[in-house]
Amino acid sequence: MFLLEVNNLSLSFTQYQRGLKQKNIQVISDLSLSIQEGEILAVVGSSGSGKSLLAHAILGILPKNASLSGRLYYGGQELTAKRQKELRGKEIAFIPQSVNFLDPLMQIGQQVRTSSQVGSEKGIAKGKGGEKEKDRDRDREKGRVKDRAKDKGREKQRKIFDRYELDYDVENYYPFQISGGMARRVLVASAVVGGPKLIIADEPTPGLHHEVVKEALGHLRELADEGTAIMLITHDIATALEVADRIAVFYAGTIVEIAWASEFTDHGDKLRHPYTKALWMALPQNGFLPILGRQPSPSEPPPGCLFQPRCSLSSKSSSTNNSSCSQEAPVMRELRSGKVRCHFAT
Ligand code: SF4
């Protein structure tokens, strides 16, 4: 059974233009994918193409002007807004793109402990319904419980610090006092300290030195090998291939192929979709072959297949095939233990 299933997800935003005129902007259309425990599924697509919004839809943190359709399932049950709220930051953790997600006014140790939900002073202090204690002995006992919870929280945080090679001194630092690489480790530490089952990592290695990237990805692989499901959102297919089990290729607001990472070899003959092959062949080690044309906006898709204006397979096909490509939008289908959205992929 899959831990997370996203079925036919579409997302659009309503924007006001001049006066009271409204415009509907489509950003995701009919997107489906699933993730199992212990695997890394990389969602790969160009920067600014709306991949992060997929993460936000799963986490339930979209802005109010968003309209969502389709279904999300987590652990076999529908992932409703109520469940998203309950699971967010606990079973479902988020590693954001920017280190600006760290609170600039809170010490690092406190931030990680807050994420762990263990030893939360708020939770302990409230007790059962926050009833007022008048009895001194009970107050003292309450203080002791609070201290024990604090110690437990600190112990858990230090264990995570050990794991990610963060000195205990860092506990007392503020975000501006640590390096970019260290801040990334703190973000990972904050995400994993509560023992999540699913981690959504949104471009977790932007602009970092290769060694730091390797280290950050190594942490994700380690977590997956321990059973955590990971959705890695990235624009960098080469990086994704270093750690992912499967690659979901995002194009113009939807997924056009889901392939095994092991299928990205040689000239991409095992890959199914012409865009995936083109992405693979555009890597420097494969000849740097450019992909001509531009990705369409999901709000203004071309008729038929989204990739048709750039597709080499369509232009090589017979005129009948070619007209199917420009008239009918292909649906996602199973092919050779993967999935593809193309009429003619074999
Ligand atoms: S459906 Fe046609 S245009 Fe689209 S990817 Fe397949 S061959 Fe190319």
Side-chain angles (χ1 to χ4, degrees):
M1 188 178 72
F2 290 108
L3 182 65
L4 175 77
E5 282 183 70
V6 176
N7 292 342
N8 311 107
L9 188 89
S10 293
L11 171 65
S12 61
F13 290 95
T14 308
Q15 264 188 359
Y16 277 98
Q17 294 189 303
R18 271 194 196 158
L20 289 176
K21 216 174 154 195
Q22 287 185 350
K23 191 180 175 191
N24 203 40
I25 299 175
Q26 192 74 31
V27 283
I28 294 179
S29 302
D30 192 28
L31 182 152
S32 299
L33 54 77
S34 47
I35 307 180
Q36 298 187 54
E37 286 177 359
E39 83 161 336
I40 300 182
L41 174 82
V43 177
V44 177
S46 52
S47 300
S49 59
K51 303 181 303 296
S52 297
L53 292 167
L54 169 64
H56 295 184
I58 296 167
L59 290 157
I61 53 171
L62 287 167
K64 284 206 172 96
N65 63 339
S67 320
L68 200 63
S69 65
R71 288 269 186 280
L72 300 173
Y73 294 91
Y74 176 80
Q77 285 176 38
E78 188 157 6
L79 188 57
T80 56
K82 184 171 173 269
R83 284 191 82 214
Q84 282 172 323
K85 201 172 166 191
E86 285 164 5
L87 298 171
R88 195 167 56 232
K90 296 167 195 146
E91 280 197 28
I92 305 179
F94 183 47
I95 303 177
Q97 198 173 129
S98 165
V99 293
N100 294 338
F101 270 73
L102 292 171
D103 184 338
L105 302 176
M106 196 190 276
Q107 288 172 314
I108 298 295
Q110 179 68 36
Q111 300 204 37
V112 175
R113 290 196 293 279
T114 304
S115 304
S116 80
Q117 311 280 325
V118 171
S120 154
E121 288 169 38
K122 253 188 186 170
I124 297 296
K126 265 188 183 169
K128 279 183 186 170
E131 70 186 54
K132 286 186 180 173
E133 298 297 338
K134 290 179 185 164
D135 180 271
R136 268 195 200 157
D137 289 344
R138 286 191 70 188
D139 270 353
R140 260 186 235 119
E141 180 54 26
K142 203 168 140 187
R144 280 196 288 273
V145 170
K146 210 167 146 183
D147 288 345
R148 278 201 298 274
K150 262 187 177 176
D151 290 347
K152 210 173 159 193
R154 191 173 296 273
E155 194 186 308
K156 198 165 180 182
Q157 169 242 301
R158 288 194 168 178
K159 249 190 193 164
I160 286 288
F161 269 39
D162 288 341
R163 179 171 187 169
Y164 293 111
E165 293 171 14
L166 290 160
D167 287 342
Y168 295 160
D169 289 355
V170 175
E171 281 172 9
N172 303 318
Y173 292 175
Y174 288 89
F176 74 90
Q177 293 174 298
I178 60 177
S179 67
M182 209 184 268
R184 298 252 38 117
R185 272 185 273 157
V186 170
L187 285 176
V188 176
S190 303
V192 306
V193 69
K197 288 188 176 170
L198 169 67
I199 294 177
I200 301 177
D202 185 9
E203 296 280 9
T205 55
L208 295 180
H209 186 268
H210 184 68
E211 282 307 305
V212 185
V213 171
K214 230 173 126 185
E215 182 191 83
L217 295 178
H219 291 151
L220 293 182
R221 188 64 257 174
E222 230 175 83
L223 292 164
D225 293 343
E226 288 165 9
T228 313
I230 296 181
M231 180 191 280
L232 169 65
I233 294 176
T234 178
H235 69 281
D236 182 349
I237 194 164
T239 297
L241 287 168
E242 286 184 27
V243 285
D245 298 289
R246 291 186 300 147
I247 307 285
V249 180
F250 190 92
Y251 183 81
T254 196
I255 300 291
V256 294
E257 174 165 1
I258 299 181
W260 294 94
S262 57
E263 292 174 323
F264 288 77
T265 53
D266 305 324
H267 297 292
D269 297 332
K270 291 182 183 158
L271 300 171
R272 298 157 189 80
H273 197 281
Y275 178 59
T276 316
K277 289 183 194 181
L279 269 184
W280 174 240
M281 296 312 289
L283 290 178
Q285 64 270 32
N286 296 334
F288 237 143
L289 300 176
I291 311 174
L292 300 177
R294 292 180 63 182
Q295 194 165 143
S297 153
S299 278
E300 290 163 1
C305 174
L306 291 168
F307 194 56
Q308 198 274 333
R310 309 170 77 185
C311 183
S312 54
L313 181 59
S314 168
S315 55
K316 276 186 214 151
S317 305
S318 67
S319 55
T320 326
N321 284 1
N322 199 304
S323 72
S324 320
C325 294
S326 56
Q327 284 168 18
E328 278 169 56
V331 291
M332 197 72 158
R333 62 185 167 98
E334 309 257 343
L335 180 67
R336 293 186 275 112
S337 78
K339 290 189 174 184
V340 69
R341 193 185 285 273
C342 168
H343 294 308
F344 304 110
T346 53

